[in-house]
Every structure is written in C-alpha cells, then in structure tokens.
Amino acid sequence: MNILHCISSPHIGGIERLVIEMAIAQKVAGMEVSIMLDSFEGQYYDYLLLQDIPLFKSGIKGGFDWNPNTYRTLKHTFNRFDIVHLHNFSALRSKAAKDSKARVVHTMHGLSKGIRKENKIKYVIRESLKKHFLNKVDVFIANSRHTLNLAKEHYGLKNISTKVVLNGIRIMDKDLNPKNINNTKFTIGLVSRFTHRKRIDRLIKAFNIFLENGGNGHCILVGDGAAYDTVNTQIKSLGLESHITLAGYSNDVDKYYKQFDVLVHPSDNEGFGLIAVEAYLHGLPVLAFKDSGGLKEVVEPLEPENIVHNEMELVDRLLFYSKHKTKQAENAIKRINYAKANFSIERMEREYYEIYKNLL
C-alpha cells in the first residue's frame, strides 16, 4: 500500500504535527508513505528529514493557482500512489488527484462555523470549488462529529462516503506521570494559540470572578498569537497582572503541564482539541465549554461535569477543584488510561488503514 499525504508546509501547527506523526506510524506499520508539501519552509522540516520519509514539493503557489504545468506534474506524481490523502484544500491539487489513478481521501481537520472570510468574490469562488471537489472524493473524513456536521451543512456531501476518525497523539510511556499534589498555590493552566476564536477572554473573566468569590489561585497562559495584546489589555484592565502569568510561546509545554492543577480550554467550535488529550496524559482535569465543538467530544465521555455552559459554571468548577485538590490525583490514572485507549496515534493509524484497505 503506497500512500501520499498532502499538507501545505512543515510549520508548527496541530494539523501538520498530526499528519507527520501519522505518516511515521504508518511507516512503522509497514506501509510505503510519502509526504507532499507546498513549501519546505517550517520548523518541522528537519524533523521530517530524520524520518527517512520521501518528500515531494507540489509547486502550488497559492489557493487560486491553476498552472497547467503544475497540474500535469501533480497528476503524474499522484499516479504513482494507491492513495492520495489530502489534508487541506487546493482546487488544483484536488483536480489532479481526482483525475489520477489514485483513490482520493480528504480529511477535514476543522471548520469554523463561519468558514474563512475573504473578499466576497474570492469567498464565493473558493467555496464553490471546494464544494465541487469535496463531493468528488472517494472518502471524506472528519476529525469529530462536530466537524462532520459542519462540513455537511456547508458542502452537502450527500452522495459520498463520510466517516469520523478521531485524532491521535504519540504517547510515550515515560511521559505518563501524574502531577504530584503539593502545597503550592492552586494553578489554572491554558495552552493555546492566542486568537480571538480561542475565547481566552472567557477564562480571564471567569478567573476574575473566581478570585472575587474567595478563590485562591494563579493562572498561567502559555502561547502567543494575534490576540496577545487583546488578552494583555484585558488582564491589565481587571488588575490581574499579579495573578496571571503570560508565559509566551514554548517548545517545552510539558514543564507547564506539571505545574497545572487543572487545564481550561475556553474556545468555541474547535475541530477536535488535542490539547485536552495532552492534558489527560498528564492526569489533569480539563474544563471546556458546551459550544467547544470537537473538544466537547473528548471531554464529555470521561468527565461530563467538566463541560460548562457559561463563565459562572466555569467559576464553580474552578472553586471545586481548588477546594478538593485531591480529586485531581484520585482520577489521574483514569484520565491517562482513557487517553491511551482512545487517542493514540496507533489507533488512528489502524482506523485509516481499514479505510484505505476497503478502498483498494
């Protein structure tokens, strides 16, 4: 079985990391795996080179690239593979894949409720092309029921095979160490890109109410992004500078997980939410909102009480965990085992293998 995964670049990001780790797992399982990139620029490129996985460059210059030479080259390359697995959308790439001899799988890793906004003409053209080509693939896969429902709402997908394959993560047994409860101050954590859709404002608002209601704790926000200044302004306006640490971006988030007593992910409409799985692998409880999309599908089966409807319910859960720190330790092993059983990269690889096998 010869598979080609197509992603835009080896930049740091949830999709890129996920696809690279899955390709590695598929190679370990005995499949012939290659990766096609639009650009070799990115932090994961050196890591990719170490994996001895063949790399191809697509030649695609942008979302509206229709270069006929690029199309012919792509089609010729795709003909060499049994499966072409697309992980982001390009009309040129999708057409070349459709016209090739390969079977085409498209995985959608997330879809915001409003879809990406462009100027009106570009938006209409892009979404029309996307709807056309997504309805031509052999199998359409979503990383959560939430993502699949949104995709069906926007793109139809009535006459093609659709499936849900939950994301997986590489799990190293040596890293599975529950946080030891100690006498330090109750610590609330967040690990996230700082964008407006991540709704970090909800956590800050709830944390302020938590303190006003007698809660004693500290909050560490790990990450960076376009909304950093907005977050910083909100913290200052509420006078929380001494209670909230803006840690910035970090390549070593494990050291922060070891400081947290609980992780809060306040975003809405997440495609999946690997951050919850990472927290569970550290034995931490995860608090998320009812409108968090795919993230809710990770948290709710294990701890439905940690799905909140609003900031006041989040305050209640924070007060509960701050007063019952031993509750975190009591269920730590349960959380680790849940993540290992349901969200390993090996489980994800096996599910995709069955899909590929059925196509061939």
Side-chain angles (χ1 to χ4, degrees), residues 3 40 44 121 191 194 248 275 330:
I3 303 144
F40 286 170
Y44 281 129
I121 295 174
V191 178
F194 280 37
I275 199 72
E330 288 174 5

Side-chain angles (χ1 to χ4, degrees), residues 289-323:
F289 282 78
K290 187 175 178 61
D291 63 1
S292 61
L295 180 63
K296 176 174 173 282
E297 295 174 35
V298 177
V299 175
E300 191 170 46
L302 180 67
E303 295 175 316
E305 67 276 12
N306 285 342
I307 298 295
V308 301
H309 291 77
N310 51 50
E311 287 93 341
M312 287 309 302
E313 288 189 12
L314 176 56
V315 171
D316 289 341
R317 295 309 293 163
L318 292 175
L319 288 169
F320 171 83
Y321 278 112
S322 68
K323 294 174 182 176

Side-chain angles (χ1 to χ4, degrees), residues 339-357:
K340 288 176 65 177
N342 294 282
F343 303 107
S344 71
I345 200 73
E346 290 78 15
R347 186 273 310 156
M348 187 180 182
E349 178 273 316
R350 288 191 297 270
E351 290 190 27
Y352 272 113
Y353 173 75
E354 290 299 319
I355 291 169
Y356 298 156
K357 186 174 70 172

Side-chain angles (χ1 to χ4, degrees), residues 83-139:
I83 302 286
V84 171
H85 193 153
L86 308 176
H87 296 274
N88 59 346
F89 179 72
S90 155
L92 183 63
R93 180 168 43 234
S94 292
K95 178 165 176 55
K98 173 182 174 293
D99 293 346
S100 74
K101 299 174 183 177
R103 307 306 295 270
V104 182
V105 176
H106 187 109
T107 294
M108 185 165 283
H109 295 274
L111 180 67
S112 62
K113 57 187 175 183
I115 310 183
R116 189 181 69 173
K117 298 298 183 183
E118 303 172 275
N119 71 59
K120 189 172 182 179
I121 295 174
K122 285 187 175 181
Y123 175 82
V124 171
I125 293 173
R126 177 183 173 82
E127 292 307 307
S128 296
L129 288 169
K130 196 169 184 179
K131 183 175 183 178
H132 172 77
F133 284 112
L134 289 180
N135 281 277
K136 300 295 183 181
V137 301
D138 293 296
V139 179

Side-chain angles (χ1 to χ4, degrees), residues 179 184-192 194 200 203-204 207 217-223 228 231 235 240-250 252-266 275 284 318:
K179 173 182 166 25
T184 59
K185 184 176 288 189
F186 176 69
T187 302
I188 300 158
L190 172 137
V191 178
S192 176
F194 280 37
I200 299 171
L203 169 56
I204 296 171
F207 180 61
H218 190 77
C219 191
I220 301 176
L221 310 182
V222 182
Y228 183 91
V231 169
I235 291 169
L240 296 175
E241 296 97 321
S242 63
H243 298 282
I244 297 179
T245 298
L246 285 169
Y249 173 78
S250 174
D252 182 16
V253 294
D254 283 353
K255 70 179 182 182
Y256 290 105
Y257 282 120
K258 292 172 183 176
Q259 299 175 49
F260 299 159
D261 291 289
V262 60
L263 182 124
V264 178
H265 203 56
I275 199 72
L284 298 174
L318 292 175

Side-chain angles (χ1 to χ4, degrees), residues 31-249:
M31 292 182 239
E32 295 181 53
V33 185
S34 301
I35 294 177
M36 176 177 280
L37 302 159
D38 298 341
S39 167
F40 286 170
E41 299 286 331
Q43 298 90 336
Y44 281 129
Y45 183 65
D46 290 338
Y47 176 66
L48 253 180
L49 291 179
L50 295 174
Q51 310 309 317
D52 195 28
I53 291 175
L55 301 179
F56 295 83
K57 194 167 186 179
S58 72
I60 294 173
K61 302 301 183 183
F64 291 93
D65 186 352
W66 279 104
N67 187 301
N69 291 327
T70 303
Y71 164 80
R72 286 190 288 271
T73 301
L74 285 170
K75 182 180 174 182
H76 176 74
T77 301
F78 292 160
N79 281 334
R80 298 165 54 183
F81 293 88
D82 300 313
I83 302 286
V84 171
H85 193 153
L86 308 176
H87 296 274
N88 59 346
F89 179 72
S90 155
L92 183 63
R93 180 168 43 234
S94 292
K95 178 165 176 55
K98 173 182 174 293
D99 293 346
S100 74
K101 299 174 183 177
R103 307 306 295 270
V104 182
V105 176
H106 187 109
T107 294
M108 185 165 283
H109 295 274
L111 180 67
S112 62
K113 57 187 175 183
I115 310 183
R116 189 181 69 173
K117 298 298 183 183
E118 303 172 275
N119 71 59
K120 189 172 182 179
I121 295 174
K122 285 187 175 181
Y123 175 82
V124 171
I125 293 173
R126 177 183 173 82
E127 292 307 307
S128 296
L129 288 169
K130 196 169 184 179
K131 183 175 183 178
H132 172 77
F133 284 112
L134 289 180
N135 281 277
K136 300 295 183 181
V137 301
D138 293 296
V139 179
F140 177 92
I141 298 169
N143 62 349
S144 66
R145 292 188 301 276
H146 172 74
T147 298
L148 181 58
N149 290 338
L150 283 178
K152 286 183 174 180
E153 177 185 343
H154 288 294
Y155 303 117
L157 310 176
K158 293 179 180 179
N159 299 314
I160 63 170
S161 175
T162 60
K163 297 182 182 296
V164 171
V165 176
L166 299 176
N167 287 348
I169 192 171
R170 179 182 285 194
I171 298 172
M172 308 291 287
D173 285 338
K174 66 180 180 64
D175 295 330
L176 304 182
N177 297 311
K179 173 182 166 25
N180 293 318
I181 298 299
N182 52 45
N183 293 323
T184 59
K185 184 176 288 189
F186 176 69
T187 302
I188 300 158
L190 172 137
V191 178
S192 176
R193 285 182 294 114
F194 280 37
T195 64
H196 295 290
R197 195 175 64 80
K198 295 300 182 180
R199 296 303 310 276
I200 299 171
D201 61 294
R202 295 202 285 194
L203 169 56
I204 296 171
K205 179 181 176 182
F207 180 61
N208 186 53
I209 299 171
F210 165 83
L211 295 175
E212 290 176 345
N213 281 268
N216 183 23
H218 190 77
C219 191
I220 301 176
L221 310 182
V222 182
D224 200 355
Y228 183 91
D229 289 342
T230 302
V231 169
N232 195 23
T233 297
Q234 184 184 10
I235 291 169
K236 289 180 178 179
S237 69
L238 294 171
L240 296 175
E241 296 97 321
S242 63
H243 298 282
I244 297 179
T245 298
L246 285 169
Y249 173 78

